[in-house]
């Protein structure tokens, strides 16, 4: 998997430079992959990164700048500490530093950072096609099979193993209710058509199990 991911990173970074030269892409991939493999991660791992990149590829035709979305996927959980609340901001700042150094044009770097920050809310504005693609790709796990969704929910619990059970159940139930209260979970036509119903069923099932 890491070799494939390194190849994907090299291709994306080269395309994002728009023909400009720059540092060797591989060390950046190695540093990012080391972050995604940190021991505190149970769900936000290289497997999640791969899944999000795959979903971005599926949805890329909807995006105004697919390469910016792919770069944002790489950075969106690059900084991840489950006991901290500023992960997205720190990930966006990491993207700004790394992509500037890696010779990505300033406007695209700024767009990547904006997209990373958007994953705090997963609530892109109408017409924000880049944001719609990234957020749908990140949330696509919610529409997985019941077995895969159960494994996802269990891995989230593992990441928050330091939180007492009742506190976790209360907090997680709040998150699920907020998601279920959204008019739409998915904003791209593909996501709305293929993922919305299954995701709502999975979320409702988890909420019921948490609150019985």
């Amino acid at each position: 998997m890491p070799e494939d991911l390194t190849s994907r990173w090299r291709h994306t970074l080269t395309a994002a430079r728009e023909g400009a030269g720059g540092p060797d892409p591989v060390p950046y991939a190695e540093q990012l992959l080391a972050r995604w493999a940190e021991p505190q991660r149970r769900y936000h791992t290289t497997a999640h990164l791969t899944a999000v990149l795959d979903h971005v590829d599926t949805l890329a035709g909807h995006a105004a700048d697919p390469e910016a979305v792919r770069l944002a996927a790489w950075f969106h959980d690059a900084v991840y500490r489950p006991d901290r609340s500023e992960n997205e901001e720190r990930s966006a700042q990491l993207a700004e530093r790394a992509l500037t150094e890696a010779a990505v044009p300033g406007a695209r770097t700024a767009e990547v950072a904006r997209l990373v920050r958007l994953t705090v809310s997963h609530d892109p504005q109408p017409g924000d096609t880049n944001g719609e693609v990234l957020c749908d790709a990140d949330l696509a796990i919610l529409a997985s099979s019941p077995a895969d969704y159960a494994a996802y929910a269990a891995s989230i619990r593992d990441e928050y193993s330091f939180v007492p059970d009742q506190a976790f159940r209360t907090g997680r139930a709040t998150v699920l209710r907020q998601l279920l209260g959204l008019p739409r979970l998915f904003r791209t036509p593909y996501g709305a058509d293929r993922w919305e119903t299954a995701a709502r069923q999975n979320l409702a099932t988890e909420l019921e199990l948490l609150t019985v």
Side-chain angles (χ1 to χ4, degrees), residues 127-141:
D128 179 7
T129 58
N130 289 339
E132 289 173 348
V133 169
L134 180 63
C135 291
D136 278 18
D138 195 26
L139 295 180
I141 182 63

Side-chain angles (χ1 to χ4, degrees), residues 68 71 92 95-100 103-114:
L71 288 172
E96 289 168 334
R97 294 194 302 271
L99 295 178
T100 298
V104 174
R108 180 169 275 150
T109 294
E111 174 66 356
V112 172
R114 183 190 73 83

Side-chain angles (χ1 to χ4, degrees), residues 19-59:
D24 182 357
V26 173
Y28 293 91
E30 291 173 344
Q31 292 175 31
L32 283 165
L33 290 171
R35 289 178 174 276
W36 283 93
E38 291 165 342
Q40 76 274 13
R41 299 170 182 256
R42 295 296 183 270
Y43 170 66
H44 295 89
T45 63
T46 52
H48 172 60
L49 171 61
T50 300
V52 173
L53 290 170
D54 288 346
H55 292 311
V56 169
D57 287 347
T58 297
L59 302 171

Side-chain angles (χ1 to χ4, degrees), residues 149-170:
Y149 184 91
Y152 149 74
S155 65
I156 292 293
R157 180 67 184 104
D158 286 346
E159 282 188 340
Y160 287 87
S161 59
F162 58 91
V163 178
D165 189 58
Q166 188 55 52
F168 176 84
R169 291 163 72 92
T170 299

